[in-house]
Structure formats: structure tokens, C-alpha cells
């Protein structure tokens, strides 16, 4: 039986020694966990992403594969992401292999480890994950009892550089071929198939590339395409909900796959062909899940060119109307300039103002024809003017240098003066200066460096050197005045590595492995790459071939290419023709169902084509969207009676490692999922009005935290507890609830205003005795400076009652033992305490003020108890609830009296 790893039990408070420990403990809301008991014959898959949790959980492909595989019987799919360097060292020091997040399966015990790779620079983290997971780094070293290691994604369409590390590479989209393949592997495993037999079955698939089958022209792996994408429900991709705020913290619905525009530099445009528009009802159904089941209020309508969605303005109108009152905003992350309008921008900003972003690439119109990407300068200027008049103050512009345009064709580029007439940098600067002068908008400018990619018309282009790129960049930055322009810079070293891995050959694998063994990690991160580049340069010097010469070489249109064993559907002849059209500045028409330039992707055999309008709309007859009711509207202030909720909750089972702000976000999303009548803040971006009594210490579990919120209408306390526990992660459990009416006659007390402190339970770890600390000078000084701190022994644990928090106690303890607290003891917070005093208005104050407001003096006798010992928040708020009830009763009596007097006045004779 597989030995599972439970990081909370195995590592305990040692997790405090690494940054962001919640990356490694799982426990998120809406996980899929398939128990191992009685299900040991499942086919176990790890879906891996070679970057940190925050990046990985923003990746749509990971969630699609995770949910798609877990929907299948007999298959267990769990997530695993790259450990940061500190946790990698932590695991190696303890000789514990990297494990999956759901149930802690060691990677070495999986049946298959599947990497989703969208960017070439993640390759050293692939190796780090393999090594930390106990898996041999190279295909040649792997034995029969090791898992199959495969990769997929748009970052591996040239498998040659990474062939040493992957048993197989999947070319194309996971739906539905990967799911079908995994079912077949499951059945083969049940029938006793060996690893060698499983690999042979993988190799037999037309979309699977292996070095054995696809090198030297033996086989060409052809991209798998989900032909019915957009016509059938997509694999659910809204769960699980991250416990750490990901880099893109919004719901994502893919409204269209593929791009109709055919930009010649764009690898993704070829990889995701053909254009497949998703049926409107399917889009709405996914957004309903994202909003009401997952708790998102910012929704990204994703595609490579979202503004090319048919009638995108109509789509936005429909969505804004449907979710009116639910505070849902939408964004289109990829907008083609010529498809953009002020109308689209205004609809996107109906709830939250969206950014203004333009991907221009090059402003020269003739060069745009070469790229097959038109950006009408006048249209762009008109949009900027209209947007500025409508309240936008800044706009972001994207450009590229190193494209096969202008001075690229000069005989000796390096000798050509930077900024000379006709150079790409001069054209960019002239365009921006002119646009800014005419529109007066603040310009945020990002200039990227073009890296030629395989399977594009520019796959033969010579890559610009970092030295040349840097000179061009510096000239651009020097000639755009600060204040009017904010400029983003590019990492020049990254272009070297990206160029190598994008178009590398089989020898590249040895260079990657060498750099990794020297210490290269997280090359996609600039701060890491600054340190890593010395390892890469050493690996370049150690190679038996001239690596940099290869990266910046001149390619011949007729030479064999390292990626010739892969076809994305388009032929090399098509790319050659597109290259010729680029040289002659000719446009190619858009990808459409009736196109006249067959690229080779659409075909009847595989049932792959651009969906017609009739095909898309025909799906609607069998889909029924649920009705979404407009929520009850409430005034933003002066509501006579609201219902205050004070509740206690536990923070255990991994919740103690979730940072405070991430915890706040978890509760926000849970509130949005709950459907309870919570009160929100007012303003442009309303948030649930929830308050926590303390900002909890990372790594210390808590048996009692206190929070408060308000409701518009009364909810049964047991129902509140039940609903909130159903929508919160398991690491947060609501235990006690008090709900009572509050009146505007009295200012609501904040929890922090009433906080006295907390009680903590300290238990010594083996080799340390807390009694020695209590006899120390450090403890004596602590008590002198903090006389309110109380200590009491109960059995073998020390209970510390401390105002505010135990930070001063922990600091003194660490000073005494010269170690971190988690190295010498275990701490659990057992209670949160409140001050017994109550501030604010009472019924007696109200009565006295009304009787004699000139001589009124506030009565404090009810609010200051004789015993000043701290109490529980529930005890404090029971008193506050009674005061509110008395005020409300008094107001009702006065209203009744006023109504009676009005009635009597109306009955008097006139």
C-alpha cells in the first residue's frame, strides 16, 4: 500500500520555517479527494505545473485536466506544483519526496505524472520537481517501478530540447484525447500491463510524440483538436478555489478558442486553430457557476482575441443585465485594436473600470501588413480621445522589437546606428510622441523582444541578439520623456534561454541538465534568473557545441528543423507561403468557415472546422439556463434595523498557515457563495462587511477566533452556522453564532475596539522545558514590561493569557533559547477575550437626552462593570444585544405614541 504524506502531521510547526507554507498543504474549498482505502487499483495521475502555487492555480489547463480526469471512474488525479527553493531544500533535508496536494501521494509512486507547460523557461523546475519527487531525471535512467512522465501544452511543440526528460509529449488539446487515453491506461493497469506496455500504448497514439517514434522521420505527431469545443459543455474549471490569492484572481470562461486573425509571429494562433466560438447559453451556464457556486465577482471572458467574438457588445449587454445587482464585472483580456470601441470599454466598466490596453506590435502600416495585423492609427487615436473624455487617464501600449521588419534586412545590422530613420525603435518613438501630444493621455509602454517560435511563418527568422536589443531599448527609453511615459523593461537573459529552448535540438537537453545541476531554478522569474545566468553560461561553455551560435543562427527555408516530427495541422509549405507574403507586405484573410486559403487544420476526417453561425445557434435548443433573480436593493445608509452576527470559528487543519489577507478573501468568497443577506460596503467596489477581532499569527492553530458581520434580514443562528460551514474550506469551522438586531440610534462597536487579548496553550517539544524559560531573566523582564500577562500550568502545558497577542511572550522565549518558537514548542490559541466595558448609547441615555438635552450627561454606570476581568466576546455582545433591544423597543413605543397623537390631531374638528 502506498505510504501517503500528511504535511501537517509529518512536519507540524516546522512548516513555519518556509515561506507561504499553505502552498504545500492542500485543503482548499471544493477539492476532489478520492479515498485510497479500498481503491488501491486506481490509476493515479499527478497534474503538474512547473511554477509556484500562485501561478499554477491561475492556469486554466490545470483545472480542466484535474476536473476532467477526476470525473472518470477508477482514475485519481491530484495536483502538484513547483516547490520554492526553501521548501525543496526542506524536503531534501528530511528525505521526504515531493507529494500531491490532495492526499499526499509521493510523486515516485504515481502511475503517471503529467506536466502542463505553457512557457519554455519552466524546464528547470520540471527537473526540480522530478528530483524532489524521487523520479529519475532522464528517460534512460527510469526503471519499471517509476511513473510515466509526460508533458503537454503550447510550450512543448518542439519536443527535441526536452526529449531527455519526458517519456512522451502530447501535441494538442487535452479534451478529449487525454481523457480517453487515461481511461485506456487505467484498464491496461488493471489487466497487469507493465510500464513498458503502457508506454507502447501511449506511443501508438497519433498525437503522442516520443523520441523513439518521431525522430528521423519515422512518424509525425499530429495535434489533437477538440472539434466540438463550444458546442458541448466544457469541462468544469471553477474548482478548487485557491487558498492563496493567485496572480489572476478572477473567474475565467473561455468564450472562444482559436483566433481568426492569423498574425504571422503568433505561435498560439496556430496552436489553437481553428476558431471555435462557444454557444452563448454555454457561456452563461459557466458564468453562473463561477458567480454563484465559486463566489467570483470578476469574470474574464477569455480567448486569443475576445473582441472578435460575434456581437461582443451584445454579449456584454446581456451579461450586465443578467447579473445586475450582483456586482459582477467583466473583462476582455485580449482586445484587437481594430475590433475595439468605446462602447465595449464602457460596457466592461459598468461595475468596475477596466484598463485601456493596446497591443500594437509595430505602428508602421506597411509593416503591419507583413505581420498580418492591421492597427489603424486613426481608429486608435479616436478610441484614446473618447476614452480620455469618458474618464480614462492612462493607456497601456505593447510593442515588439526584433521582428523581421525594417532594419532587420540591413546587410550588417550591428553596424547600423540605433535610432536611424526606418528603424523599428524610431518608428515606435515617433508614433508614441505624436499620439501623446494629440491625446494628452498618460502612456504606459511595454516593449517586448520577439522570439521566433516553431510552427509559425517566422520560424526561420534570425533572433535579435541581447546586445542589439538592449541598444534599441535604451534608445527608446531615452527618447520618451518621463512623466508622460512610464516604461517597462525586458529581461535580456530570458531571451537567450527562450530562444534556445524554443528552437533547440536534441543536444539542448544536456545543456539544460547541466545548468540545472549547477543550480538553475525558476528561470521565468527575473530575480532568480539574475543569479541563474552564471549557471547557464557555465553550461554553455561546457557544451561540445556552440550554443549561442545556434540560438542566433541564420536559418535556411529548406533545412530540416528539430520540430519536423510535429505537425500542428498546418504544413511547412503554408508557412513558407506566409513568409513570402510577409516579405511582400500581403495580408491573408481571416480564419473563417468559408476561407479561401486552406492552411490544413480544418478537415472532415477529424471533424475539425470553424463553426458556422448555424452550428453554434443549433445547440441552444437543448440548453436551458436557470433564471437569475435581481437581488433586493437596500439603501447604503440609515437603515433603521440591521442584524449583527458575532460568530466564533476554528482555524486548524492547515488554516493556521493561510495568511491573514488570504483568509479574508476566503471568507469573502464564502459569503458570496452562501446566498445569505449579508451587508456590503458602499462605493465602486463593494465588499462584504466582515471584521475579525485579531490579525492571526501565521502557523499558530486557533480553537477560537471571533468575527462579525451584518445581515439585512434575520437568519436563524443554526442555519447561519450550517450554511457558512458548507461554503468555507474545511480548515475554518464556525462553532458559535449570535445574531441580534441593531439600531442606528447607537454606533456599532468594532471587534478590535472591544478586544482585550487571547489565551494560548504552550507545549514543550522534546528536548526543551518551558519551566527553564519561566526562571530566566528574559521572562522576568517580560513580566516587568507586561504585568497583565498571566501564566498557569495545566497538566504538561503552559496557558498564557496575554493582552492583544502573545507576540511579546514569543519574542522573549526566542531570545532565551536563541531559536525560533516553533523549534522548541507547540502553540495553540484557545480563546479570544474581550474587554468587559461597553461604550455607546443606551436607552437610559436616550430617555435622559429627550427629557433635558441642555443639561444631559451620559450615564456610564450601566457600561462599566465592577469586575474589570476580560470576558468572552459572546458574553460582551450579549450585553450589547440587550442594550440594542431596549433602544429598539423604546423607539417602537415612541413611534406608536407619535402615531396615536397624529391620529388624535386628525380627528379634531377644524
Amino acid at each position: 500500500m502506498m505510504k501517503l504524506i500528511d504535511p501537517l502531521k509529518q512536519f507540524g510547526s516546522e512548516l513555519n520555517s518556509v515561506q507561504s507554507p499553505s502552498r504545500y498543504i492542500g485543503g482548499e474549498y471544493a477539492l476532489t479527494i478520492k479515498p485510497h482505502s479500498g481503491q488501491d487499483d486506481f490509476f493515479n495521475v499527478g497534474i503538474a505545473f512547473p511554477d509556484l502555487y500562485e501561478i499554477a492555480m491561475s492556469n486554466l489547463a490545470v483545472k480542466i485536466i484535474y476536473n476532467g480526469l477526476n470525473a472518470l471512474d477508477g482514475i485519481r488525479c491530484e495536483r502538484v506544483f513547483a516547490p520554492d527553493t526553501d521548501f525543496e531544500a526542506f524536503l531534501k533535508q528530511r528525505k521526504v519526496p515531493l507529494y500531491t496536494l490532495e492526499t499526499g501521494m509521493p510523486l515516485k509512486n504515481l502511475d503517471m505524472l503529467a506536466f502542463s507547460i505553457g512557457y519554455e523557461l519552466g524546464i528547470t523546475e520540471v527537473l526540480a520537481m522530478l528530483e524532489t519527487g524521487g523520479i529519475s531525471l532522464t528517460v534512460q535512467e527510469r526503471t519499471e517501478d517509476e511513473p510515466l512522465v509526460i508533458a503537454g501544452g503550447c510550450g512543448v511543440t518542439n519536443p527535441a530540447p526536452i526529449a531527455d526528460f519526458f517519456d512522451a509529449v502530447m501535441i494538442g488539446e487535452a479534451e478529449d484525447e487525454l481523457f480517453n487515453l487515461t481511461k485506456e491506461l487505467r484498464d491496461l493497469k488493471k489487466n497487469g500491463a507493465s510500464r513498458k506496455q503502457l508506454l507502447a500504448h501511449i506511443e501508438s497514439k497519433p498525437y503522442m510524440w516520443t523520441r523513439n517514434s518521431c525522430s528521423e522521420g519515422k512518424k509525425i505527431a499530429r495535434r489533437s483538436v477538440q472539434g466540438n469545443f463550444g458546442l458541448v459543455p466544457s469541462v468544469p474549471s471553477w474548482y478548487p478555489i485557491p487558498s492563496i490569492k493567485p496572480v489572476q484572481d478572477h473567474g475565467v470562461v473561455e468564450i472562444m478558442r482559436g483566433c481568426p486573425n492569423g498574425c504571422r509571429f503568433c505561435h498560439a494562433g496556430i496552436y489553437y486553430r481553428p476558431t471555435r466560438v462557444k454557444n452563448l447559453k454555454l457561456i452563461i451556464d459557466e458564468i453562473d457557476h463561477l458567480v454563484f457556486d465559486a463566489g467570483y465577482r470578476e469574470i474574464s471572458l477569455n480567448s486569443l482575441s475576445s473582441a472578435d467574438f460575434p456581437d461582443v457588445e451584445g454579449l456584454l449587454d446581456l451579461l450586465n443585465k443578467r447579473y445586475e445587482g450582483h456586482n459582477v464585472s467583466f473583462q476582455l483580456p485580449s482586445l484587437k485594436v481594430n475590433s475595439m470601441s468605446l462602447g465595449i470599454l464602457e460596457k466592461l466598466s459598468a461595475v468596475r473600470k477596466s484598463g485601456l490596453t493596446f497591443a500594437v506590435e509595430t505602428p508602421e502600416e506597411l509593416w503591419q501588413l507583413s505581420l498580418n495585423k492591421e492597427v489603424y492609427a486613426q481608429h486608435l487615436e479616436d478610441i484614446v480621445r473618447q476614452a480620455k473624455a469618458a474618464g480614462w487617464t492612462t493607456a497601456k501600449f505593447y510593442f515588439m522589437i526584433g521582428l523581421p521588419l525594417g532594419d532587420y534586412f540591413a546587410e550588417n545590422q550591428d553596424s547600423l546606428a540605433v535610432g536611424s530613420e526606418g528603424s523599428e525603435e524610431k518608428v515606435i518613438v515617433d508614433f508614441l510622441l505624436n499620439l501623446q501630444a494629440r491625446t494628452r493621455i498618460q502612456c504606459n509602454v511595454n516593449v517586448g523582444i520577439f522570439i521566433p517560435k516553431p510552427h509559425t511563418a517566422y520560424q526561420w527568422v534570425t533572433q535579435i541578439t541581447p546586445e542589439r536589443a538592449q541598444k534599441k531599448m535604451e534608445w527608446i527609453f531615452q527618447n520618451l520623456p518621463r512623466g508622460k511615459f512610464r516604461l517597462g523593461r525586458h529581461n535580456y537573459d530570458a531571451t537567450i534561454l527562450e530562444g534556445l529552448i524554443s528552437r533547440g535540438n536534441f543536444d539542448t537537453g544536456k545543456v539544460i541538465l547541466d545548468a540545472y545541476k549547477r543550480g538553475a531554478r525558476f528561470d521565468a522569474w527575473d530575480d532568480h534568473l539574475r543569479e541563474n545566468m552564471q549557471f547557464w553560461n557555465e553550461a554553455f561553455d561546457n557544451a561540445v557545441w556552440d550554443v549561442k551560435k545556434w540560438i542566433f543562427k541564420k536559418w535556411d527555408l529548406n533545412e530540416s528543423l528539430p520540430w519536423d516530427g510535429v505537425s500542428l495541422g498546418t504544413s511547412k509549405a503554408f508557412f513558407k507561403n506566409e513568409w513570402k507574403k510577409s516579405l511582400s507586405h500581403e495580408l491573408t484573410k481571416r480564419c473563417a468557415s468559408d476561407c479561401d486559403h486552406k492552411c490544413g487544420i480544418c478537415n472532415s476526417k477529424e471533424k475539425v472546422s470553424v463553426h458556422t453561425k448555424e452550428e453554434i445557434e443549433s445547440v441552444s435548443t437543448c440548453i436551458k439556463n436557470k433564471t437569475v433573480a435581481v437581488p433586493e436593493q437596500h439603501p447604503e445608509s440609515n437603515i433603521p434595523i440591521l442584524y449583527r452576527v458575532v460568530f466564533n470559528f476554528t482555524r486548524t487543519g492547515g488554516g493556521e498557515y493561510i495568511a491573514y489577507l488570504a483568509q479574508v478573501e476566503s471568507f469573502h468568497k464564502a459569503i458570496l457563495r452562501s446566498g445569505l443577506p449579508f451587508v456590503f460596503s458602499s462605493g465602486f467596489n463593494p465588499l462584504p462587511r466582515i471584521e475579525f477581532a485579531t490579525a492571526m499569527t501565521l502557523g499558530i492553530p486557533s480553537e477560537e477566533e471571533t468575527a462579525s458581520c451584518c445581515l439585512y434580514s434575520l437568519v436563524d443562528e443554526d442555519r447561519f452556522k450550517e450554511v457558512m460551514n458548507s461554503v468555507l474550506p474545511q480548515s475554518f469551522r464556525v462553532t458559535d453564532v449570535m445574531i441580534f438586531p441593531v439600531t442606528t440610534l447607537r454606533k456599532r462597536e468594532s471587534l478590535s475596539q472591544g478586544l482585550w487579548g487571547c489565551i494560548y496553550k504552550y507545549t514543550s517539544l522534546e528536548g526543551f522545558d518551558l519551566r527553564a524559560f519561566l526562571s530566566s531573566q528574559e521572562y522576568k523582564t517580560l513580566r516587568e514590561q507586561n504585568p497583565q500577562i498571566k501564566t498557569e500550568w495545566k497538566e504538561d502545558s503552559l496557558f498564557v493569557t496575554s493582552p492583544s497577542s502573545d507576540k511579546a511572550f514569543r519574542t522573549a522565549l526566542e531570545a532565551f533559547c536563541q531559536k525560533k518558537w516553533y523549534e522548541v514548542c507547540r502553540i495553540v490559541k484557545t480563546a479570544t477575550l474581550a474587554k468587559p466595558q461597553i461604550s455607546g448609547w443606551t436607552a437610559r441615555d436616550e430617555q435622559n437626552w429627550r427629557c433635558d438635552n441642555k443639561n444631559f450627561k451620559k450615564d456610564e454606570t450601566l457600561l462599566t462593570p465592577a469586575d474589570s476581568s476580560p470576558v468572552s466576546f459572546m458574553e460582551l455582545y450579549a450585553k450589547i444585544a440587550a442594550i440594542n433591544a431596549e433602544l429598539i423597543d423604546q423607539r417602537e413605543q415612541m413611534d406608536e405614541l407619535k402615531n396615536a397623537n397624529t391620529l388624535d390631531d386628525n380627528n379634531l374638528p377644524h
Side-chain angles (χ1 to χ4, degrees):
M1 186 174 176
M2 188 189 306
K3 184 180 179 181
L4 303 176
I5 296 165
D6 184 336
L8 295 175
K9 289 181 180 178
Q10 194 149 343
F11 307 136
S13 57
E14 287 182 293
L15 285 168
N16 286 286
S17 65
V18 300
Q19 188 177 24
S20 300
S22 54
R23 291 168 174 162
Y24 313 113
I25 57 177
E28 301 97 323
Y29 177 74
L31 287 176
T32 299
I33 294 181
K34 297 187 177 182
H36 288 261
S37 178
Q39 299 179 138
D40 285 341
D41 61 343
F42 274 32
F43 190 80
N44 295 312
V45 181
I47 174 62
F49 191 85
D51 213 323
L52 298 178
Y53 179 100
E54 299 93 314
I55 309 294
M57 285 302 290
S58 298
N59 185 271
L60 190 63
V62 167
K63 292 183 179 180
I64 288 173
I65 295 169
Y66 174 84
N67 288 292
L69 288 177
N70 276 321
L72 305 174
D73 292 336
I75 295 170
R76 180 185 292 111
C77 181
E78 301 189 358
R79 299 161 300 142
V80 60
F81 307 137
D84 207 345
T85 50
D86 59 348
F87 193 63
E88 181 187 339
F90 179 96
L91 291 174
K92 288 180 177 178
Q93 183 183 352
R94 288 158 182 76
K95 297 181 179 178
V96 175
L98 185 61
Y99 51 87
T100 59
L101 289 174
E102 276 70 15
T103 65
M105 293 189 290
L107 299 196
K108 64 182 180 180
N109 296 135
L110 296 171
D111 294 306
M112 185 166 73
L113 182 60
F115 283 89
S116 176
I117 301 178
Y119 184 42
E120 296 84 354
L121 267 60
I123 189 60
T124 52
E125 273 318 295
V126 168
L127 299 181
M129 293 174 72
L130 292 175
E131 184 175 29
T132 312
I135 301 171
S136 300
L137 293 179
T138 66
V139 172
Q140 291 79 7
E141 295 173 297
R142 286 185 200 130
T143 59
E144 181 65 27
D145 59 351
E146 293 187 79
L148 297 162
V149 181
I150 69 170
C154 58
V156 295
T157 58
N158 174 19
I162 57 174
D164 290 347
F165 316 122
F166 293 106
D167 296 299
V169 175
M170 180 175 183
I171 306 299
E173 299 168 359
E175 318 101 298
D176 293 307
E177 295 294 359
L178 178 63
F179 305 148
N180 293 334
L181 171 63
T182 309
K183 285 192 290 185
E184 293 165 4
L185 295 173
R186 171 202 63 193
D187 296 341
L188 288 168
K189 177 190 174 181
K190 284 184 178 179
N191 293 327
S194 66
R195 183 184 191 276
K196 185 177 180 180
Q197 290 169 322
L198 293 175
L199 184 55
H201 184 73
I202 290 173
E203 204 171 56
S204 71
K205 298 299 178 181
Y207 49 83
M208 278 295 189
W209 184 99
T210 67
R211 186 166 188 168
N212 177 57
S213 66
C214 296
S215 59
E216 299 175 3
K218 298 175 188 174
K219 165 189 166 184
I220 294 178
R222 184 176 174 88
R223 178 173 68 107
S224 66
V225 182
Q226 186 191 2
N228 62 357
F229 174 88
L231 305 179
V232 297
S234 295
V235 175
S237 58
W238 39 92
Y239 293 145
I241 306 297
S243 57
I244 302 175
K245 189 178 180 70
V247 292
Q248 296 177 355
D249 190 19
H250 47 246
V252 177
V253 55
E254 203 176 359
I255 63 171
M256 183 171 72
R257 189 172 288 182
C259 176
N261 296 305
C263 299
R264 292 181 177 121
F265 57 82
C266 184
H267 175 264
I270 296 294
Y271 185 82
Y272 289 108
R273 281 192 182 195
T275 306
R276 287 153 287 164
V277 173
K278 184 174 288 183
N279 175 273
L280 188 58
K281 286 189 175 181
L282 292 175
I283 292 172
I284 290 171
D285 185 61
E286 287 186 48
I287 296 175
D288 282 351
H289 284 293
L290 289 166
V291 171
F292 301 114
D293 297 340
Y296 288 106
R297 288 301 180 268
E298 293 183 53
I299 307 296
S300 180
L301 306 175
N302 266 26
S303 82
L304 292 176
S305 183
S306 298
D308 285 306
F309 183 90
D311 190 20
V312 68
E313 290 198 46
L315 170 66
L316 292 171
D317 281 336
L318 188 152
L319 296 179
N320 284 331
K321 180 66 176 175
R322 181 175 179 83
Y323 301 103
E324 185 179 2
H326 291 280
N327 193 38
V328 179
S329 63
F330 299 94
Q331 54 182 286
L332 297 172
S334 182
L335 284 171
K336 182 183 173 187
V337 174
N338 288 359
S339 304
M340 196 186 300
S341 68
L342 184 63
I344 291 177
L345 293 173
E346 288 175 337
K347 295 174 199 305
L348 290 172
S349 302
V351 175
R352 296 177 184 87
K353 210 168 194 75
S354 65
L356 197 59
T357 303
F358 303 99
V360 181
E361 320 306 356
T362 180
E364 173 60 50
E365 291 187 7
L366 195 62
W367 295 352
Q368 290 171 11
L369 298 179
S370 292
L371 301 182
N372 208 47
K373 177 174 182 174
E374 291 181 286
V375 179
Y376 302 136
Q378 188 58 53
H379 179 66
L380 176 56
E381 182 181 324
D382 291 344
I383 293 173
V384 172
R385 284 182 183 278
Q386 293 167 8
K388 193 166 188 295
W392 275 266
T393 58
T394 62
K396 183 179 287 187
F397 297 89
Y398 286 97
F399 299 91
M400 275 199 286
I401 60 171
L403 288 160
L405 307 167
D407 55 326
Y408 171 86
F409 297 101
E411 286 189 15
N412 191 347
Q413 289 185 44
D414 292 334
S415 64
L416 195 67
V418 175
S420 59
E421 203 64 42
S423 65
E424 53 190 346
E425 62 272 18
K426 179 75 163 57
V427 169
I428 290 170
V429 167
D430 288 349
F431 170 80
L432 284 169
L433 289 174
N434 182 55
L435 180 70
Q436 203 283 328
R438 294 164 71 93
T439 62
R440 303 295 180 187
I441 200 160
Q442 169 75 42
C443 299
N444 295 335
V445 181
N446 186 291
V447 182
I449 299 172
F450 173 61
I451 310 298
K453 298 286 183 176
H455 310 288
T456 68
Y458 290 170
Q459 62 185 355
W460 297 279
V461 167
T462 301
Q463 183 174 325
I464 189 172
T465 63
E467 296 78 14
R468 181 70 177 167
Q470 186 169 4
K471 289 178 182 178
K472 285 174 174 280
M473 289 283 201
E474 292 298 334
W475 192 91
I476 292 172
F477 296 150
Q478 289 167 9
N479 285 274
L480 291 176
R482 305 301 179 266
K484 298 175 182 178
F485 298 92
R486 292 181 59 187
L487 307 164
R489 292 176 179 266
H490 200 280
N491 188 310
Y492 304 106
D493 289 333
T495 66
I496 299 173
L497 302 188
E498 191 177 343
L500 171 64
I501 302 170
S502 293
R503 297 193 292 180
N505 56 20
F506 286 110
D507 293 330
T508 306
K510 295 181 179 63
V511 178
I512 294 170
L513 185 60
D514 189 2
Y516 167 76
K517 289 184 174 180
R518 293 173 188 274
R521 300 288 190 282
F522 290 105
D523 298 308
W525 293 74
D526 285 352
D527 52 345
H528 283 280
L529 188 54
R530 277 190 288 271
E531 299 176 10
N532 292 350
M533 207 56 209
Q534 72 176 68
F535 306 133
W536 281 100
N537 285 326
E538 289 167 4
F540 294 164
D541 294 340
N542 193 46
V544 297
W545 53 294
D546 192 330
V547 179
K548 287 192 176 180
K549 184 178 180 181
W550 175 276
I551 297 170
F552 303 109
K553 77 188 218 84
K554 291 185 177 180
W555 297 73
D556 188 279
L557 283 176
N558 298 312
E559 70 177 293
S560 296
L561 301 172
W563 52 93
D564 279 345
V566 170
S567 170
L568 299 188
T570 48
S571 66
K572 192 182 284 188
F574 174 80
F575 290 135
K576 286 182 179 179
N577 188 53
E578 284 295 293
W579 171 245
K580 291 175 183 176
K581 292 173 79 171
S582 176
L583 296 177
S584 58
H585 315 299
E586 292 181 54
L587 285 176
T588 297
K589 290 181 182 178
R590 289 159 55 94
C591 181
S593 56
D594 58 349
C595 78
D596 58 0
H597 57 285
K598 306 300 181 184
C599 66
I601 289 178
C602 294
N603 65 87
S604 56
K605 181 181 178 182
E606 297 171 335
K607 298 180 181 178
V608 174
S609 63
V610 177
H611 301 331
T612 64
K613 183 180 179 181
E614 292 72 27
E615 284 178 302
I616 299 165
E617 292 178 351
S618 67
V619 180
S620 297
T621 56
C622 55
I623 303 169
K624 184 174 177 58
N625 295 127
K626 64 182 181 183
T627 301
V628 173
V630 176
E632 185 180 352
Q633 299 300 304
H634 301 277
E636 292 186 355
S637 59
N638 296 322
I639 301 174
I641 294 178
L642 292 173
Y643 294 86
R644 184 154 192 186
V645 184
V646 178
F647 63 94
N648 290 333
F649 65 96
T650 60
R651 184 171 174 260
T652 57
E656 64 268 33
Y657 294 108
I658 297 176
Y660 176 71
L661 291 178
Q663 174 189 291
V664 172
E665 185 61 31
S666 289
F667 272 84
H668 281 178
K669 283 198 170 68
I671 286 169
L672 292 166
R673 290 191 287 267
S674 72
L676 295 174
F678 281 92
V679 174
F680 282 68
S681 64
S682 57
F684 196 60
N685 187 22
L687 294 171
R689 281 185 174 170
I690 184 168
E691 179 197 6
F692 298 92
T694 61
M696 291 127 266
T697 305
L698 194 68
I700 296 181
S702 175
E703 295 171 352
E704 185 183 274
E705 294 294 342
T706 303
S708 177
C709 54
C710 283
L711 304 174
Y712 285 114
S713 55
L714 183 62
V715 173
D716 178 76
E717 291 171 350
D718 288 338
R719 180 169 178 260
F720 180 92
K721 177 180 174 180
E722 179 185 356
V723 171
M724 289 305 294
N725 281 335
S726 72
V727 293
L728 279 166
Q730 286 292 320
S731 50
F732 302 119
R733 296 290 88 186
V734 176
T735 55
D736 306 292
V737 181
M738 178 191 297
I739 302 178
F740 58 92
V742 292
T743 171
T744 52
L745 292 173
R746 170 185 173 81
K747 183 180 179 181
R748 287 190 289 276
E749 302 84 347
S750 67
L751 293 181
S752 57
Q753 180 184 347
L755 176 67
W756 183 90
C758 309
I759 302 176
Y760 298 86
K761 177 183 176 183
Y762 279 66
T763 307
S764 299
L765 296 178
E766 189 175 348
F768 180 73
D769 188 353
L770 276 165
R771 288 179 175 82
F773 168 60
L774 297 184
S775 304
S776 69
Q777 181 60 45
E778 286 83 357
Y779 179 71
K780 182 180 178 182
T781 303
L782 170 71
R783 290 303 306 271
E784 289 172 354
Q785 296 173 349
N786 302 273
Q788 289 179 294
I789 291 178
K790 310 291 184 192
T791 58
E792 179 185 3
W793 283 99
K794 292 181 182 178
E795 298 180 350
D796 294 328
S797 296
L798 179 68
F799 284 78
V800 178
T801 303
S802 176
S804 186
S805 75
D806 70 332
K807 185 176 181 181
F809 193 92
R810 280 184 285 116
T811 302
L813 175 63
E814 291 178 342
F816 166 71
C817 60
Q818 294 298 297
K819 291 182 177 179
K820 293 292 185 181
W821 65 264
Y822 49 80
E823 297 178 89
V824 297
C825 66
R826 183 173 185 268
I827 306 174
V828 177
K829 180 179 173 183
T830 61
T832 304
L833 302 176
K835 301 170 187 173
Q837 298 87 2
I838 302 171
S839 62
W841 202 250
T842 67
R844 183 178 297 179
D845 292 328
E846 179 75 11
Q847 185 175 0
N848 291 342
W849 182 84
R850 287 184 179 276
C851 292
D852 186 5
N853 58 20
K854 288 184 179 179
N855 299 308
F856 169 75
K857 187 175 180 181
K858 188 164 170 39
D859 185 356
E860 300 290 349
T861 57
L862 287 177
L863 306 179
T864 307
D867 184 1
S868 61
S869 300
V871 298
S872 72
F873 268 96
M874 291 299 176
E875 185 178 340
L876 172 67
Y877 273 84
K879 296 176 183 177
I880 293 173
I883 292 171
N884 274 281
E886 194 175 0
L887 280 166
I888 292 169
D889 184 57
Q890 188 180 76
R891 171 187 272 182
E892 289 175 349
Q893 291 177 17
M894 292 176 63
D895 287 344
E896 288 176 6
L897 181 61
K898 183 178 178 181
N899 291 336
N901 290 336
T902 302
L903 186 61
D904 290 342
D905 289 343
N906 290 337
N907 291 331
L908 291 174
H910 295 285

